[in-house]
Amino acid sequence: MGVEGIGARLARKEDKRFITGSGRYVDDMVVPGMKHAAFVRSQHAHAAIRKINIKPALAMPGVIDVLLGKQLKADGIGNLICGWMVHSKDGSPMNMGAWSPLATDTVRYVGDAVAIVVAETASQARDAAEAVEVTYKEKKAVTTVTDALKKSAPQIHPEAPGNLIYDWEIGDQSAADAAIANAAHVTTMQIDNNRLVPNAMEPRAALGHYDKAEDHYTCWTTSQNPHVARLVMSAFYNVAPENKLRVIAPDVGGGFGSKIFIYPEEIVCLWASKRTNVPVKWVADRTESFLTDAHGRDHVSTAQMAFDKDNKMIGFKVDTIANLGAYMSLFSSSVPTYLYATLLSGQYKIPAIHCNVRTVYTNTAPVDAYRGAGRPEACYLVERMVETAARELGMSPAELRRINFVNEFPYQTPVIMAYDAGDFNASLDAAMAESKYDGFERRRKTAAKKGKLRGIGMSCYIEACGIAPSAAVGSLGAGVGLWESAEVRVNAVGTVEVLTGSHSHGQGHETTFAQLVCDRFGVPADSVSIVHGDTDKVQMGMGTYGSRSGAVGMSAIVKALDKVESKAKKIAAHLLEADEGDIVIENGECKVAGTDKSVPWFQLALSAYTAHNLPEGMEPGLKEGAFYDPTNFTFPAGCYICEVEIDPETGTTEIVQFVAADDFGKIINPMIVEGQVHGGIAQGIGQALLEGCAYDPGNGQLITASYMDYAMPRAHDLPSFKVSTTETVCPSNPLGIKGCGEAGAIGSPPALINAITDAIGNNDLSMPASPQRVWAAINAAD
């Protein structure tokens, strides 16, 4: 490891432009002749569109045009799709309802887009949007999964009778039923996972530009995967041929999964640009983000966990109903199935598992991947069950986990996943030591003297990252491959450009990806540039989500670096008249091992391009590309311990200690990893303690449509986190990386809720654990 290589705590290169206000976001983009857009959105959760009168809006100052869904359909623009096919257990395909980018006859949630107004300024567009007169015939709305499945519920899509999208299962139902029937103890719970709004720092935005002279489209967008956006908009939505569409995702201010998807606004802005012959920019306001960004979570589950007389887990049965909102978003079908139910074994040896999942339509915003995407829901379910079981059995929660851990690898779970490496005891031991777990009862007694209720909770999570291999996910219904690409260009003066299909929107790729090059060639980090986010500059890639940038994106870079290194050594051996096997590259030089013969890196690069003295038959240049398709998922895991104090008079919870011990495999930059863990824990605490998206069950209005009503975690809500790592190297990729981007959001909610329920002596508590809910649970327990 060099001072800037793998393992170094190198400060993030990109932060200088961010903290000095020099970042370049979609809203900063200005194109000559650019105009502004606002969307007319439904104020009803479910209604038929009877009439749209655009004349008042067209007469307003600065308005260029008002465009409707019927015009969009007449121009051949397609419906939005879900890109992961899931079949019900009877073999029938999922029931995907039509989702037009602009609604033509029916609106299905508050915020559904009905028209776009293009005007000279953003304020003129917004004013004119308010002047568009839409006549609706309101219909009955439904917002919860249990109500949506009732016979009396309104029919949301004709393609989905009874609002059921699919009824899917995994595992062995007979074996799980038998285990429960023969168990010495069965823990049974109903567990809800609350709906969340992603709330990325930068709202979504799109700028569409049709160049009539070139017959070419450019879309600047807040995307986590610009190549997938281009593919889908060209192949499925008929916006433009792929070779005539450029998608650029510049600096993006956070995503958390919500910017993976292609939304109506990108499609409509591109289409509107061609229709009006002007570039069209739209930037969401925060209320639009609350209304229309894909939400996360929203599961209702019942579960039974069976134990034998020795307290070993012998069976686990789960029934889940997942809310997918009014339409199926791009990857929504996979979240409550292959990203959720396949992790229900947790860190434990459970011989029999069965999970049934029903997904339903409701008159709410679409629901899709949000930081962790299925894995937090699985972890919360498993870890709440295990903690509750330990209390029912009169066992230490740590000991119950320990006697049920998977200890031998590889381990094949009953629900598809094959864990390749891990040491769950090491994480548990590290977290217990750091939290001084054995001294907790003394701290509880001290708190009681102050009139406070003190509790401790634990969560042992495992997740699956780097979703792959492509053939496997394809067989499960994925519409795209989940490989990654990279190209490494060594320029004539020795500087290096890495072109990656991964996208950075807060992960620190410009630093960590550069560290791979520094480690390999010994060049300074400042001489390495990372290029991403532009489909005209970078080869096809699959983007960033699911903690895949390290395990998959970096692995592609490593493969390209291998090729560059091989060619560089051939050139160096030729120049130094040495055997290729004796060449080493370090500290910015190519050397002959055991001698003082060397050639500087920049000189070798120049030789590759002048081509005056290359090995016979070698092509000039020093540039290589690679694609990497993983052979397996990676499996980050860890143990989180949370300690709380609660005021029984008010129900207010204070987190007095939070300890995280994670196993991420090989770590490239410990400082950046710690930042990812801190952010993830903060989001998990937000879900557990504060955040909750609520709709009016009568009319489908979003009650929590602003920060006045939707509580986000603030600094005073969070303790100083104690984070550490253990290491088992991942065997399925060349760097041994597992991934770190989602762990904090996965492991923290159950640890916190387990701590609160321990303190109050009542296991019946749902997220968010607001003071009112905690106070009520305390009094119910009393």
Side-chain angles (χ1 to χ4, degrees), residues 140-142 146-155 163:
K140 184 180 176 182
V142 62
T146 50
D147 288 344
L149 289 174
K150 292 177 179 177
K151 290 183 179 180
S152 60
Q155 182 69 43
N163 299 319

Side-chain angles (χ1 to χ4, degrees), residues 59-128:
M60 294 185 69
V63 173
I64 293 166
D65 208 344
V66 180
L67 302 173
L68 305 178
K70 289 182 179 179
Q71 296 165 288
L72 180 136
K73 291 299 177 187
D75 287 347
I77 304 299
N79 290 329
L80 283 85
I81 62 164
C82 177
W84 194 305
M85 173 55 70
V86 170
H87 289 82
S88 289
K89 55 192 177 187
D90 65 3
S92 61
M94 63 191 187
N95 300 317
M96 184 164 59
W99 184 6
S100 173
L102 292 175
T104 56
D105 53 12
T106 303
V107 290
R108 294 181 170 87
Y109 73 103
V110 175
D112 213 349
V114 174
I116 182 174
V117 177
V118 181
E120 293 288 340
T121 69
S123 60
Q124 288 174 333
R126 285 193 292 268
D127 290 344

Side-chain angles (χ1 to χ4, degrees), residues 256-286:
F256 311 121
S258 68
K259 294 174 182 174
I260 297 172
F261 327 115
I262 293 83
Y263 288 88
E265 291 85 3
E266 294 99 314
I267 301 166
V268 175
C269 283
L270 280 167
W271 168 73
S273 178
K274 184 173 184 179
R275 267 272 183 169
T276 59
N277 203 31
V278 295
V280 176
K281 179 197 278 188
W282 165 80
V283 179
D285 61 33
R286 187 55 68 176

Side-chain angles (χ1 to χ4, degrees), residues 742-767:
E742 297 160 305
I746 293 170
S748 54
L752 177 49
I753 297 299
N754 285 340
I756 295 173
T757 53
D758 176 60
I760 66 177
N762 186 348
N763 287 321
D764 187 14
L765 181 68
S766 295
M767 300 187 290

Side-chain angles (χ1 to χ4, degrees), residues 432-433 435-450 452-456 643-645 656 758:
M432 291 180 70
S435 67
K436 297 179 174 58
Y437 193 84
D438 291 341
F440 169 71
E441 289 302 330
R442 290 192 299 274
R443 299 193 293 274
R444 192 201 291 269
K445 291 177 182 177
T446 301
K449 292 177 182 178
K450 300 184 296 181
K452 298 293 180 70
L453 303 175
R454 196 168 182 119
I456 194 165
E643 200 166 329
V644 301
E645 278 193 358
V656 294
D758 176 60

